[in-house]
């Protein structure tokens, strides 16, 4: 399948499955492996930034840069672990944690006003000026009862964003 | 107020607003938190990105399925081995020999004709055309091409362009076998480039370089000039711009459709029964690709010459291109994908990302 440097053995599959807390079925892991090998064209064992960006749909995504920092250079096990957050079986908490990490890309443990602004900038690009963005974020924070120099911890964030309608799921095609 | 109108703009990005909970299940402070939550909820965008990582329609166009040998059984295996022996030991040498002899004959005839008939251009062109057609037939024979042509043969008239979907460089050879086309091709390195420069010049081919932006204007002009001349060979263009596997078509480039003349679509469909004719230019060189074809039993394909199309009133070149692409995809049973083939080589420009 593709130019795989080594075929997946049953042991490998089980190891990967354990690493992602059994959020993927074995078939899904095999499919993901085929996909991984397809993307990792030079068979280095990890997918480089360039190779991620060669997927046009990904490259056009406004949050691609932030996600790249999280997926760049992952080996297959960690690649699967990353994607396991998008499995239907993953807990809501795990998904919200990922969203938190996307905001708090430098891993300080808190989301600041600056982080909110930066993500908003990624999403809106040149449609809004810097002042407009600041205005929006300040206004929205005020309405929710927070000030500009607030810093959300993971728990605060979970409280704010959690609602049963939150879905972040991707299906892994199995051929 | 400024913020509410801007917030309204942002709601356009948030398709999940309808997923709101009914008000009675929310705690009291929720109406204020709703706004912040919407601002913070980037899950749809993340889902899209992860979806693209897991599977995307663009990469699928260029996936070549590795051949699955049918040798998993105790009695199939010896049969398969026998087949391999025949293919590599008998067919391949025979075919290479045919090819070599063909080339020799071709060169022996071509170069003298090229130089001796220098004065009589028309006659020379005719002979060279026939020679090229013959050479292509030799090529096709060298992979035992089983090709069925449907539809009326292309005629040599001015003001017409032929467009076809593109799976491999052999598309050109297959079509050239029937009619001497002038084709517009990417400049290739190696022995292919050599052939491009010397022989194919005689049938009036036009070369361009994908990476050279200025080249486009020059090429557009050359195309226009070419279709005006009645003596020139009919022009063949592959508007996809790159080789795509046998199941999909990518977006057509509009250049071929802006020339103000009839566009005659040709649909080519390869049957993967013996070999997958898709040339994955990133994975193997053309030589290896030819070797693979020559060590398979046969190359089976269908060619349909479709009805000439004219640009309709008020139709843009892009809409015209899409209409023709629909025709070709329908005829050849291919799926359409909304991506530009050149994305295989370049990143989408930041402009596109902004538009999103």
């Amino acid at each position: 399948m593709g130019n795989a440097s080594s075929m997946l053995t049953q042991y490998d599959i089980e190891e990967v499955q354990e690493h992602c807390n059994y959020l993927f079925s074995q078939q899904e892991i095999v499919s993901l492996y085929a996909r991984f090998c397809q993307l990792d064209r030079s068979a280095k064992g990890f997918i480089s930034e360039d190779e991620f960006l060669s997927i046009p749909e990904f490259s056009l995504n406004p949050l691609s840069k932030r996600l790249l920092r999280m997926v760049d250079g992952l080996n297959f096990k960690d690649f699967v672990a990353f994607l396991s957050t998008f499995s239907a079986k993953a807990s809501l908490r795990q998904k919200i944690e990922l969203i938190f990490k996307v905001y708090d890309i430098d891993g300080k443990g808190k989301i600041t006003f600056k982080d909110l602004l930066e993500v908003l900038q990624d999403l809106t690009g040149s449609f809004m000026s810097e002042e407009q963005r600041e205005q929006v974020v300040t206004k929205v924070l005020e309405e929710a009862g927070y000030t500009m120099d607030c810093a959300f911890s993971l728990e605060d964030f979970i409280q704010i964003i959690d609602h049963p309608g939150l879905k972040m799921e991707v299906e892994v095609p199995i051929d | 107020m400024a913020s509410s109108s801007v917030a309204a703009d942002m709601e356009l990005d948030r398709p999940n607003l309808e997923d709101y909970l009914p008000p009675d299940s929310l705690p009291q402070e929720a109406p204020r938190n709703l706004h912040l939550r919407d601002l913070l909820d980037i899950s749809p965008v993340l889902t899209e990105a992860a979806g693209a990582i897991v599977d995307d329609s663009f990469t699928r166009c260029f996936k070549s399925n590795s051949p699955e040998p049918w040798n998993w059984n105790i009695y199939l295996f010896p049969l398969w081995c026998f087949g391999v022996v025949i293919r590599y030991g008998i067919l391949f040498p025979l075919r290479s020999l045919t090819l070599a002899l063909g080339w020799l004959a071709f060169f022996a005839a071509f170069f003298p004709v090229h130089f001796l008939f220098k004065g009589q251009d028309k006659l020379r062109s005719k002979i060279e055309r026939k020679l090229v057609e013959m050479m292509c037939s030799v090529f096709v024979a060298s992979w035992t091409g089983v090709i069925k042509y449907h539809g009326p043969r292309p005629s040599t008239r001015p003001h017409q362009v032929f467009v076809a979907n593109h799976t491999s460089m052999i598309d050109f050879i297959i079509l050239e076998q029937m009619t001497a086309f002038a084709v517009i091709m990417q400049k290739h390195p190696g022995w292919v480039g050599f052939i491009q420069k010397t022989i194919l010049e005689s049938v009036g081919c036009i070369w361009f370089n994908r990476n050279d932006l200025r080249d486009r204007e020059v090429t557009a002009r050359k195309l226009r000039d070419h279709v005006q001349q009645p003596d020139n060979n009919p022009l063949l263009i592959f508007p996809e711009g790159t080789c795509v596997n046998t199941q999909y078509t990518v977006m057509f480039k509009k250049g071929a459709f802006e020339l103000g003349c009839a566009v005659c679509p040709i649909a080519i469909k390869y049957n993967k029964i013996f070999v997958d004719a898709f040339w994955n230019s990133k994975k193997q060189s053309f030589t290896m690709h030819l070797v693979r074809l020559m060590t398979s039993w046969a190359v089976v394909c269908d060619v349909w010459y479709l009805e000439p199309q004219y640009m309709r009133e008020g139709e843009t070149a892009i809409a015209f291109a899409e209409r023709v692409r629909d025709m070709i995809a329908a005829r050849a049973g291919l799926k359409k994908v909304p991506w530009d083939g050149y994305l295989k080589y370049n990143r989408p420009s930041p402009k596109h990302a902004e538009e999103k």
Side-chain angles (χ1 to χ4, degrees), chain B residues 31-42:
Chain B
R32 285 182 293 157
N33 265 352
L34 227 44
H35 247 350
L36 183 58
R37 178 200 301 167
D38 302 329
L39 180 60
L40 292 178
D41 187 2
I42 49 174

Side-chain angles (χ1 to χ4, degrees), chain B residues 90-259:
Chain B
I90 302 180
L91 284 182
F92 183 54
L94 264 182
R95 287 170 175 173
S96 308
L97 191 62
T98 318
L99 201 55
L101 285 178
W103 275 120
L104 279 175
F106 178 72
F107 280 122
F110 189 80
F111 283 119
V113 166
H114 194 72
F115 292 114
L116 290 179
F117 285 75
K118 241 192 162 61
Q120 302 145 305
D121 274 346
K122 265 207 157 179
L123 183 57
R124 179 174 73 159
S125 300
K126 256 187 94 176
I127 300 183
E128 285 177 348
R129 233 174 273 181
K130 283 287 159 222
L131 282 178
V132 173
E133 269 180 43
M134 179 217 81
M135 192 57 222
C136 289
S137 306
V138 170
F139 254 115
V140 172
S142 76
W143 351 286
T144 316
V146 179
I147 308 171
K148 256 212 291 203
Y149 296 91
H150 311 257
R153 300 286 173 273
S155 46
T156 319
R157 295 185 296 192
H159 301 295
Q160 62 176 5
V161 183
F162 288 85
V163 299
N165 60 312
H166 199 27
T167 306
S168 160
M169 286 249 284
I170 66 177
D171 290 343
F172 164 64
I173 300 180
I174 287 179
L175 291 176
E176 190 80 7
Q177 181 191 222
M178 265 294 135
T179 331
F181 284 111
V183 79
I184 166 168
M185 281 214 289
Q186 162 81 22
K187 289 197 192 100
H188 276 99
W191 63 271
V192 182
F194 170 70
I195 296 187
Q196 284 181 325
K197 275 196 273 281
T198 52
I199 298 163
L200 296 180
E201 284 284 338
S202 68
V203 281
C205 293
I206 301 175
W207 313 115
F208 71 94
N209 208 334
R210 208 173 264 142
N211 301 315
D212 192 347
L213 287 171
R214 275 168 303 134
D215 213 20
R216 264 186 230 175
E217 298 229 343
V218 177
T219 313
R221 217 180 343 112
K222 285 195 209 162
L223 286 181
R224 238 179 289 264
D225 292 337
H226 190 110
V227 292
Q228 307 296 345
Q229 307 259 12
D231 285 340
N232 279 338
N233 290 325
L235 187 61
L236 173 63
I237 303 182
F238 294 107
E240 281 173 314
T242 184
C243 291
V244 182
N245 74 18
T246 49
Q247 284 155 313
Y248 294 93
T249 60
V250 295
M251 299 221 65
F252 277 9
K253 304 217 160 308
K254 60 180 167 77
F257 302 89
E258 303 181 302
L259 297 170

Side-chain angles (χ1 to χ4, degrees), chain A residues 35 38 50 53-57 59 61 67 103 116 126 128 136 139-140 143 160 163 166 168-170, chain B residues 3 6 32 35-37 39-41 43 45 47 49 52-54 56-58 63 339 347-348 352 354:
Chain A
R35 176 67 173 172
Q38 188 184 54
D50 233 20
L53 288 176
S54 73
I55 308 172
E57 272 172 56
S59 163
N61 190 293
L67 282 174
Y103 273 102
L116 296 179
S126 56
M128 287 167 70
V136 169
K139 203 83 191 168
V140 171
E143 283 178 18
I160 301 172
H163 64 274
L166 182 71
M168 205 165 75
E169 276 169 32
V170 162
Chain B
S3 72
V6 172
R32 285 182 293 157
H35 247 350
L36 183 58
R37 178 200 301 167
L39 180 60
L40 292 178
D41 187 2
S43 57
V45 183
T47 313
I53 294 182
V54 167
D56 77 294
S57 55
F58 184 70
K63 202 158 87 146
W339 297 106
R347 302 267 162 275
H352 293 128
E354 285 267 315

